[in-house]
Amino acid sequence: MPVSQDELQAMAYTDPLTGLGNRYRMRDKVRLLSAERASDPAPFTIGIANLDSFKPINDLFGSAAGDEILCQVAHRLKACIPDGAIVIRHGGDEFAFVLPLVFERAGAEKFGQMIREVLSAPYDLGDRNVRLSASFGFAIYPFAGEEFEDLLKSAETALYRSKRRGRGQITVYSKEIALEMRRATQLEQALRNAIISDAIDVHFQPIVSLSNSVAVGFEALARWSDPDLGFVSPAVFVPLAEERGFIDALSETLLRKAAEAALSWPRELFLSFNLSSVQLMDPGTTNSILAILGRVGFDPHRLELEITETAVMSSADTAHRILSDLRQAGVRISLDDFGTGQSSLGRLRDFMFDKIKIDRAFVSRINSDRASEHIVKAILAMCEGLDLEVVAEGIEDYAEAVKLRALGCGMGQGYYFGKPADAIATLRYLQEKYYDFGATDRVPA
Ligand code: C2E
Ligand code: MG
Ligand code: MG
């Protein structure tokens, strides 16, 4: 039987899998609404919902199960959207809404929360149940765009921000959010280019023995100055590289540069290098680190890796294996920023640490706040009992250094002893301050 004009029309506007409308249906609805409201532009809202981690479910259970979930999602959405509103399948694991009676941010957020709740109940796959969360982006007409394409782009920007912030987030588009996303994208592009063009540098900050203020090693700290963006703190770009999945490339470059520079130091000085928490979840990390050391010719016994408590907590088994393999190869492990993370003293026994770095938060209050002093005392006593070395971070003045030494802290680091400096300045520092560092073969010409 030939297909009628009406049937063709319906097919062109329908998603074959879920039976919901498709993008064209949404476009027409938005155009209709904005035409209706042209003379008196009362706001309305569009939204996009994207399922979090849908792909792994598809991969794990097969595409038939994936399709089944999409149909159940569609069914739930259709059942709960308000009168006059429409829900469509926007493609893949994405659904979209047109909400004629939502006029402002609070209303959009409330709708998002309701849908998030509805989608969070388990999905029945016959022999098993799965749970899913969804991220949301909303855009309000006409502020976020007068044309359909612009309005949709705004909703996508809002969704992108939600996705970047983790699962189950709800964002309503605003100019500030657009700016924030533009900056983040610009920063990310610039950082990728900087890694490729080898423009990220490493600086070194001395770690001294508090008994005589002589350097025993240096901590490598990443430095990046972009021609347009200026100086960007590692506290900003390291998490960005982690989030966007290129921390490996960044860290490999940094370790190579740091180890190369450290080759010119006296042999008894160690190099302390910060390992990102993401790397502690990646079983390839051990080999990658040892391969770099091998290529550079840097003795693993001279390397210390600084890790944080949070990093160890998040993926304990993998982290444990990485750390024990590295220790087997002679690398030492220090626990950075101690006292600020999700401290679990039990971890100190489970993991084989060699050193604890007491966070600056306690050090900088040691002479003004009795509680901080007691905490530092307790950490020192505990480390002595567990046979761990201790470094106090962020020592900025003489009084702090004296106090920490009096309390029995072995090592210190901070502006008082030396700010982070580039490789050449570090060699100069060693010539001036390091007693055993004569003008011998160790200094390159
Ligand atoms: P962190 O590992 O705890 O490093 C110590 C931070 O304290 C450094 O900040 C250092 O410059 C700063 N600092 C040292 N002494 C003083 C002081 O006396 N007073 C004050 N106010 N600050 C002091 P920076 O270089 O900005 O690095 C920030 C964080 O970024 C680091 O904290 C570390 O978590 C991360 N980071 C830096 N370089 C790398 C890297 O190569 N790889 C990874 N994964 N993370 C890095
Ligand atoms: Mg550190
Ligand atoms: Mg630290």
Side-chain angles (χ1 to χ4, degrees):
M1 206 168 53
V3 184
S4 76
Q5 200 60 30
D6 282 356
E7 283 169 326
L8 269 178
Q9 174 86 357
M11 272 161 72
Y13 279 76
T14 307
D15 168 53
L17 176 68
T18 61
L20 293 181
N22 62 16
R23 289 159 182 267
Y24 300 114
R25 173 107 177 74
M26 179 182 189
R27 184 196 60 193
D28 284 7
K29 174 83 175 173
V30 167
R31 286 185 178 159
L32 194 71
L33 272 176
S34 49
E36 271 173 25
R37 299 184 182 189
S39 52
D40 171 24
F44 65 88
T45 298
I46 68 163
I48 311 176
N50 184 294
L51 304 181
D52 298 322
S53 308
F54 180 69
K55 192 178 175 300
I57 290 190
N58 233 350
D59 294 346
L60 210 61
F61 302 132
S63 60
D67 286 353
E68 173 59 31
I69 290 178
L70 291 173
C71 289
Q72 290 185 29
V73 167
H75 192 74
R76 289 185 197 183
L77 292 177
K78 222 156 92 184
C80 73
I81 57 156
D83 285 346
I86 62 162
V87 54
I88 60 118
R89 178 156 177 235
H90 196 235
D93 57 354
E94 210 159 273
F95 296 82
F97 316 92
V98 183
L99 308 163
L101 296 180
V102 173
F103 308 125
E104 31 72 75
R105 160 195 293 268
E109 283 170 351
K110 213 167 134 213
F111 176 81
Q113 285 155 7
M114 187 266 286
I115 299 289
R116 181 170 64 188
E117 186 71 32
V118 165
L119 295 184
S120 70
Y123 293 86
D124 179 11
L125 285 181
D127 50 346
R128 63 172 81 78
N129 282 342
V130 237
R131 279 178 183 277
L132 282 178
S133 62
S135 303
F136 297 85
F138 291 97
I140 301 172
Y141 172 91
F143 320 112
E146 291 184 28
E147 298 298 324
F148 169 68
E149 284 76 16
D150 297 333
L151 197 59
L152 185 64
K153 221 162 125 199
S154 297
E156 279 166 350
T157 302
L159 175 66
Y160 179 54
R161 177 171 180 270
S162 289
K163 280 282 183 190
R164 287 185 71 125
R165 303 200 139 202
R167 328 167 130 253
Q169 299 288 317
I170 298 169
T171 306
V172 183
Y173 177 91
S174 69
K175 289 224 163 61
E176 291 75 39
I177 279 166
L179 197 65
E180 180 193 321
M181 287 303 99
R182 236 193 337 272
R183 287 217 186 98
T185 314
Q186 190 191 13
L187 194 66
E188 182 184 330
Q189 261 323 316
L191 181 58
R192 283 182 192 275
N193 290 338
I195 295 172
I196 291 166
S197 63
D198 210 19
I200 312 269
D201 203 8
V202 189
H203 283 200
F204 301 92
Q205 184 177 34
I207 297 173
V208 306
S209 161
L210 284 177
S211 62
N212 58 6
S213 303
V214 173
V216 288
F218 288 85
E219 175 174 3
L221 292 160
R223 289 292 177 267
W224 174 38
S225 221
D226 178 81
D228 298 324
L229 302 165
F231 175 83
V232 185
S233 163
V236 171
F237 70 78
V238 170
L240 181 68
E242 288 177 349
E243 186 189 301
R244 308 309 295 159
F246 51 95
I247 187 68
D248 289 0
L250 175 62
S251 197
E252 282 173 20
T253 315
L254 289 169
L255 180 60
R256 176 181 49 78
K257 288 189 175 187
E260 278 167 359
L263 283 179
S264 318
W265 306 343
R267 267 204 64 84
E268 56 275 26
L269 294 184
F270 63 80
L271 167 68
S272 204
F273 185 81
N274 292 286
L275 205 61
S276 132
S277 50
V278 174
Q279 293 176 284
L280 275 182
M281 300 176 200
D282 174 1
T285 295
T286 310
N287 283 341
S288 138
I289 290 175
L290 295 177
I292 294 167
L293 297 184
R295 277 202 296 278
V296 174
F298 190 78
D299 181 356
H301 291 88
R302 291 181 63 194
L303 181 69
E304 298 196 357
L305 291 174
E306 300 192 6
I307 62 172
T308 61
E309 291 163 273
T310 329
V312 187
M313 305 286 286
S314 51
S315 188
D317 287 348
T318 313
H320 200 285
R321 188 150 345 106
I322 293 172
L323 295 183
S324 63
D325 288 350
L326 284 165
R327 281 186 104 222
Q328 201 77 44
V331 177
R332 279 171 299 162
I333 310 296
S334 40
L335 192 52
D336 204 357
D337 307 339
F338 186 70
T340 58
Q342 312 157 340
S343 303
S344 154
L345 296 179
R347 295 278 154 190
L348 288 177
R349 201 189 43 209
D350 297 350
F351 283 90
M352 306 103 356
F353 297 109
D354 302 278
K355 192 182 270 182
I356 299 290
K357 298 187 81 175
I358 305 178
D359 194 78
R360 183 163 66 90
F362 305 110
V363 172
S364 56
R365 287 201 295 261
I366 196 165
N367 281 315
S368 57
D369 169 31
R370 299 265 302 154
S372 293
E373 183 183 336
H374 280 296
I375 291 170
V376 171
K377 272 188 187 162
I379 296 175
L380 290 169
M382 180 188 69
C383 288
E384 186 167 351
L386 291 171
D387 212 13
L388 294 165
E389 293 187 301
V390 187
V391 180
E393 289 189 284
I395 301 178
E396 292 191 349
D397 59 40
Y398 175 72
E400 288 165 6
V402 169
K403 178 62 153 256
L404 285 155
R405 187 172 61 191
L407 292 177
C409 182
M411 284 169 264
Q413 176 182 3
Y415 295 167
Y416 176 66
F417 297 108
K419 290 195 169 178
D422 66 23
I424 296 184
T426 298
L427 283 180
R428 219 178 303 127
Y429 172 95
L430 283 170
Q431 279 165 340
E432 285 166 13
K433 297 254 171 95
Y434 191 71
Y435 303 150
D436 266 351
F437 200 53
T440 59
D441 53 318
R442 289 184 187 122
V443 191

